[in-house]
């Protein structure tokens, strides 16, 4: 499936609520499998239905161990990156837990080629329906909480650039060469994020 890029109006719409009866249809199950394949091939750790042109309250997410191993152990510890098993999020409702925040670079498959610093809640509570129609209710922290906030935002027409620190926008190339390993306070200083 083609991943739509910013400029597509579907990325700015609020996704339609999914009827529980719809979840069990072959068509819906095929859609989930296609999204899973598209996410893996991208590769990405999350993909929301609006990103493949479908305005629905549906997203998939997975952060497998082989992705996490590409980071240094220090970086993984700092960002609280932890394995997120494959998840299908239908009609998710997300609420922040506590006041703690975390600020790191993130990117998006629909804003190809860029990263920026985004302040997110460190812990969130999520309620959602899975691919079998079962309901779930639990808390997430650290990087998995960031992935979920990013995906749930997509279902409400929000792209990470709406929430980024504007002066922190960098290309993916520049990020990997210059910014990825730098402490966030140093990034602030070098890009004069707190100026203006
Ligand atoms: Zn995204």
């Amino acid at each position: 499936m083609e991943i739509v890029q910013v400029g597509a109006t579907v990325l700015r719409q609020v996704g339609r609520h999914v009827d529980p009866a719809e979840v069990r249809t072959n068509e819906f199950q095929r859609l989930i499998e296609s999204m899973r394949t598209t996410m893996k091939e991208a590769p990405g750790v999350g993909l929301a239905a609006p990103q493949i042109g479908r305005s629905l309250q549906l997203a998939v997410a997975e952060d497998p161990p082989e992705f996490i191993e590409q980071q240094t152990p220090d970086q993984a510890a700092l960002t609280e990156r932890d394995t997120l098993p494959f998840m299908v999020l239908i009609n998710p409702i997300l609420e922040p837990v506590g006041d703690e925040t975390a600020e790191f670079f993130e990117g998006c498959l629909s804003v190809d080629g860029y990263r920026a610093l985004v302040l997110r809640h460190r812990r969130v509570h999520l309620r959602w329906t899975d691919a079998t129609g079962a309901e779930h209710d639990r808390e997430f922290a650290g990087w998995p909480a960031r992935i979920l906030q990013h995906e749930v935002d997509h279902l409400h027409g929000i792209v990470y650039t709406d929430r980024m620190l504007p002066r922190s926008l960098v290309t993916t190339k520049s990020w990997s060469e210059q910014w990825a390993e730098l402490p966030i306070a140093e990034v602030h200083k070098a890009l004069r994020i707190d100026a203006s």
Side-chain angles (χ1 to χ4, degrees), residues 51 107-110 150-151 154:
Q51 294 184 276
C108 176
L109 296 173
S110 293
H150 181 117
E151 298 313 323
H154 273 303

Side-chain angles (χ1 to χ4, degrees), residues 35-54:
M35 285 176 63
R36 183 181 196 167
T37 307
T38 305
M39 172 178 70
K40 275 191 167 299
E41 284 175 356
V45 294
L47 186 71
Q51 294 184 276
I52 46 113
R54 299 289 299 269

